[in-house]
């Protein structure tokens, strides 16, 4: 099924932002201009901008329109349920180090279905709390089938439109199922340093693996959060 018009408009704007045509804080095309360009109603353009706002890519500026966000947000690992937006649970973050390729830990090797000794692409980020202090260290591992055809994953900067949208555009593959496993353990020395906690320190670990429609893995993310800031809340119907 081809994408709907508002989806096409949103994807076009994502691509233009990713290419640097619009930078952080820049004003995006008006609803009127986009409606004329795409021969659609203003309501369709508004829906496209609503999608980008839910992704944390644009922000509404009263009286002027929409701008590219100044501070991108990222989520801790897990909780990527269908219908949840990128800004749900999102927070400012900073990249850690350079993306690199190495053999992942055994549980990631198993989740990604890698051969013994096979490497994966690693990207790390530190999601921050409201006061700017460290909240969660997230390590994302991409299997060669994804990393080899999505070269921007190997670059150090953030992927403005989000890795999910970027990977989908480059590979045609989208997440259809997620598996989250939550455990508790002691932090490693490096984790304690990044999270600025004293050892021994208990941490909650969420391992999230996303699979496509063929049940092939797209990414495995491990989020490590200090016990004193970890909280999991779920609201559900009863009766």
């Amino acid at each position: 099924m081809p994408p709907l018009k508002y989806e096409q408009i949103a994807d076009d704007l994502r691509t233009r932002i990713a290419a640097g045509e619009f930078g952080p804080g820049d004003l995006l095309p008006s609803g009127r201009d986009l409606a004329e360009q795409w021969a659609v109603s203003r309501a369709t353009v508004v829906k496209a901008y609503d999608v980008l706002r839910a992704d944390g890519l644009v922000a509404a500026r009263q009286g002027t329109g929409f701008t590219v966000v100044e501070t991108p947000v990222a989520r801790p690992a897990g909780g990527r349920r269908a219908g949840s937006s990128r800004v749900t649970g999102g927070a400012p973050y900073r990249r850690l180090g350079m993306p690199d390729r190495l053999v992942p830990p055994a549980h990631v090797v198993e989740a990604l279905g890698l051969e013994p000794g096979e490497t994966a692409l690693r990207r790390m980020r530190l999601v921050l709390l409201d006061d700017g202090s460290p909240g969660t260290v997230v390590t994302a591992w991409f299997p060669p089938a994804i990393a080899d055809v999505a070269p921007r994953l190997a670059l150090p900067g953030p992927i403005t439109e989000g890795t999910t949208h970027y990977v989908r555009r480059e590979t045609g593959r989208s997440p259809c199922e997620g598996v989250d496993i939550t455990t508790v353990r002691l932090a490693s020395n490096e984790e304690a340093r990044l999270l600025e906690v004293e050892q021994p320190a208990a941490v909650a670990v969420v391992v999230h693996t996303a699979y496509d429609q063929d049940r092939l893995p797209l990414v495995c993310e491990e989020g490590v959060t200090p016990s004193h800031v970890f909280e999991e809340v779920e609201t559900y119907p009863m009766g």
Side-chain angles (χ1 to χ4, degrees):
M1 179 179 176
L4 300 174
K5 276 289 186 180
Y6 77 89
E7 295 172 324
Q8 294 177 43
I9 296 170
D11 281 342
D12 180 69
L13 289 170
R14 280 194 194 98
T15 301
R16 295 166 71 182
I17 292 169
E21 182 178 344
F22 303 105
D26 285 353
L27 187 65
L28 292 162
S30 69
R32 177 182 297 175
D33 288 346
L34 287 175
E36 291 178 358
Q37 176 188 341
W38 289 85
V40 296
S41 69
R42 292 281 294 277
T44 299
V45 174
V46 169
K47 196 169 183 180
Y49 272 127
D50 283 344
V51 169
L52 296 179
R53 184 160 51 176
D55 281 346
L57 190 56
V58 307
R61 181 182 292 174
Q62 189 171 4
T64 57
F66 288 90
T67 60
V68 181
V69 295
E70 302 266 3
T71 305
V73 299
R75 289 185 283 181
R80 309 298 174 86
R81 292 175 175 79
S84 67
S85 71
R86 191 177 166 200
V87 296
T88 302
Y93 70 100
R94 67 173 185 261
R95 284 282 160 206
L96 296 174
M98 290 283 292
D100 52 8
R101 290 208 187 206
L102 65 162
V103 178
H107 64 282
V108 177
V109 169
E110 181 179 358
L112 294 179
L114 302 178
E115 297 294 329
E118 189 174 11
T119 62
L121 176 68
R122 179 179 68 171
R123 288 172 62 91
M124 296 182 66
R125 64 183 183 268
L126 181 63
V127 181
L128 306 175
L129 300 175
D130 291 341
D131 62 1
S133 61
T136 303
V137 174
V138 181
T139 306
W141 298 90
F142 295 89
I146 298 296
D148 290 347
V149 295
R152 282 173 53 205
L153 293 175
L155 300 179
I159 296 176
T160 310
E161 72 269 43
T163 55
T164 298
H165 292 295
Y166 172 62
V167 167
R168 181 181 64 188
R169 188 168 66 246
E170 296 297 314
T171 68
R173 297 168 59 186
S174 298
C176 290
E177 182 182 53
V179 175
D180 294 350
I181 300 173
T182 303
T183 56
V184 177
R185 60 169 170 78
L186 294 178
S188 68
N189 289 334
E190 178 64 8
E191 290 165 347
R193 183 185 70 82
L194 292 171
L195 294 170
E196 299 178 6
V197 293
E198 294 185 4
Q199 290 280 52
V203 290
V205 182
V206 178
V207 177
H208 162 80
T209 308
Y211 299 91
D212 67 10
Q213 62 273 15
D214 297 318
R215 203 47 172 62
L216 296 174
L218 297 169
V219 65
C220 180
E221 286 191 340
E222 182 173 61
V224 179
T225 306
S227 59
H228 70 280
V229 299
F230 180 80
E231 182 180 63
E232 189 171 284
V233 178
E234 185 171 359
T235 302
Y236 49 87
M238 296 180 64

